[in-house]
Amino acid sequence: MRKTIIIGTGPAGLTAAIYLARANLNPLVIEGPEPGGQLTTTTEVENFPGFPEGILGPELMDNMRKQAERFGAEFIRGWVTKVDLSKRPFTLTVEGTGELKAESVIVSTGASAKYLGIPGEKENVGRGVSTCATCDGFFYRGKKIIVVGGGDSAMEEANFLTRFASEVVLVHRRNELRASKIMQDRARANEKISWSLNRTPLEVVADETGVKGLKVRNNETGQEELIEAQGVFVAIGHTPNTKFLDGQLETDEAGYLVVKPGSTETSVPGVFACGDVQDTKYRQAISAAGTGCMAALDCERFLEAAEQAAVTSR
Ligand code: NAP
């Protein structure tokens, strides 16, 4: 049995691991399908304090992991397929490992990329459709690429992809962008980016040789258009990874975990949530790391109080 298990290895989970390992609580950290979390799919991180020249996302995550290991955090790979949070110790079922028991759990499973849900999309993932410019941009050297979305992610992906692509077309369903001004300005100043606004994506058009383009509806004229391209990058936001909890923790309507204001306590005492899985507002690496620290401290206090209560009742 473990004192604590951390599910997820983004900045939140790894920060919690550093704190709990330094508190001698020997945390077990379960690495899911995206080790290191979303930062491993970005390039340069320029706004994480302490790195005046910036740092590569994967390098930052690798450093955090090494830091946690240095103080005794243990890591295993696998999907958590089932949890039983109805009684303590809690039970987690991990694919390839089996059942694990823990007195406390920290959920830091983050959020995953959303898809458009249009024909031709899912079946062409890895064959011209991607949700990760950093992972796949390299394969599009000299090619024309479409980026779908109007938020900061779309601006960032579009800018990044101009390093490889001959041209990037930004397709967004409205005329107004949701992205912050600085990110919009940067994208607008990039000569390789052209804009197809007010277009709703309808279908990824592909044949056996790969993606040929994106069929869209021009919302002004109602006409369908084909924007030709060899790659379609979908950058329309994320969904919180909370399905595996099977409704055992309170969530909001979008599935984000609800925590008590000013803390990381979930609806089940002894289960804490940090990072993007509970954050619909800030969603930054540094804010995720901050809540990871909070979860570790909340967890430590919970374990101390539980131990005290056990001693008193003896
Ligand atoms: P977001 O802000 O939620 O934007 C998602 C975009 O995708 C919106 O423009 C939305 O259109 C569009 N969209 C959603 N569903 C769609 C669908 N089914 N079909 C077509 N378009 C669809 O998500 P995000 O860009 O991933 O950003 C998330 C958070 O991370 C934000 O707080 C952002 O500031 C932050 N972030 C920051 C940075 C940075 O500062 N370096 C980089 C990336 C992300 P509508 O606008 O019409 O709803």
Side-chain angles (χ1 to χ4, degrees):
M1 183 164 55
R2 291 279 172 164
K3 284 225 174 285
T4 188
I5 291 179
I6 299 167
I7 314 173
T9 52
L14 291 177
T15 303
I18 293 167
Y19 272 75
L20 289 168
R22 286 193 78 248
N24 263 343
L25 288 166
N26 187 28
L28 178 69
V29 189
I30 303 177
E31 270 186 320
E34 212 178 273
Q38 289 176 57
L39 272 199
T40 55
T41 65
T42 45
T43 41
E44 201 74 10
V45 180
E46 292 176 332
N47 51 11
F48 200 92
F51 300 95
E53 308 303 327
I55 181 167
L56 292 173
E59 194 183 343
L60 179 61
M61 299 322 298
D62 199 41
N63 286 347
M64 284 192 201
R65 187 190 155 123
K66 285 189 184 129
Q67 198 173 346
E69 280 177 320
R70 185 179 145 215
F71 296 110
E74 284 174 55
F75 289 77
I76 59 165
R77 284 292 289 272
W79 277 92
V80 178
T81 53
K82 212 168 93 185
V83 296
D84 181 359
L85 306 176
S86 62
K87 55 182 183 305
R88 287 182 54 232
F90 304 120
T91 308
L92 309 183
T93 308
V94 184
E95 206 172 68
T97 300
E99 278 192 0
L100 298 170
K101 302 247 178 227
E103 287 175 45
S104 62
V105 170
I106 293 181
V107 183
S108 48
T109 44
S112 296
K114 274 190 197 163
Y115 284 90
L116 293 159
I118 57 173
E121 184 188 38
K122 278 277 168 83
E123 51 270 47
N124 285 299
V125 170
R127 301 182 61 248
V129 174
S130 171
T131 56
C132 175
T134 333
C135 318
D136 300 328
F138 183 79
F139 302 116
Y140 294 86
R141 208 170 275 279
K143 297 189 171 158
K144 184 175 165 188
I145 300 176
I146 289 166
V147 172
V148 182
D152 282 340
S153 294
M155 302 303 119
E156 195 171 69
E157 302 267 278
N159 260 322
F160 175 72
L161 286 167
T162 58
R163 294 187 195 187
F164 309 100
S166 56
E167 183 187 350
V168 174
V169 184
L170 202 131
V171 174
H172 177 44
R173 61 185 175 185
R174 295 185 298 134
N175 261 330
E176 298 78 36
L177 298 168
R178 183 181 293 275
S180 57
K181 189 173 178 307
I182 182 168
M183 302 289 278
Q184 284 192 38
D185 289 349
R186 215 176 272 179
R188 288 198 190 279
N190 191 326
E191 284 173 1
K192 274 189 169 180
I193 298 178
S194 60
W195 303 80
S196 250
L197 298 180
N198 218 0
R199 307 288 200 284
T200 300
L202 299 176
E203 182 188 346
V204 175
V205 178
D207 63 18
E208 59 287 344
T209 62
V211 164
K212 298 287 165 230
L214 183 70
K215 198 191 280 179
V216 295
R217 186 181 50 247
N218 181 328
N219 294 329
E220 226 163 73
T221 63
Q223 298 283 310
E224 286 186 11
E225 301 167 354
L226 176 69
I227 305 172
E228 287 181 11
Q230 287 93 52
V232 175
F233 283 73
V234 180
I236 59 167
H238 292 82
T239 311
N241 296 318
T242 47
K243 227 174 167 183
F244 72 102
L245 295 166
D246 199 26
Q248 294 178 56
L249 297 177
E250 189 189 343
T251 62
D252 67 11
E253 63 286 347
Y256 285 86
L257 292 180
V258 173
V259 291
K260 285 195 191 135
S263 92
T264 60
E265 291 169 31
T266 66
S267 52
V268 172
V271 182
F272 304 90
C274 52
D276 284 11
V277 76
Q278 54 82 58
D279 181 3
T280 53
K281 189 171 176 191
Y282 302 104
R283 295 160 158 167
Q284 300 299 299
I286 187 64
S287 53
T291 58
C293 160
M294 287 164 64
L297 298 179
D298 287 344
C299 182
E300 254 182 270
R301 280 172 204 148
F302 170 82
L303 290 171
E304 257 169 43
E307 216 160 278
Q308 282 287 322
V311 170
T312 322
S313 71
R314 258 183 226 149

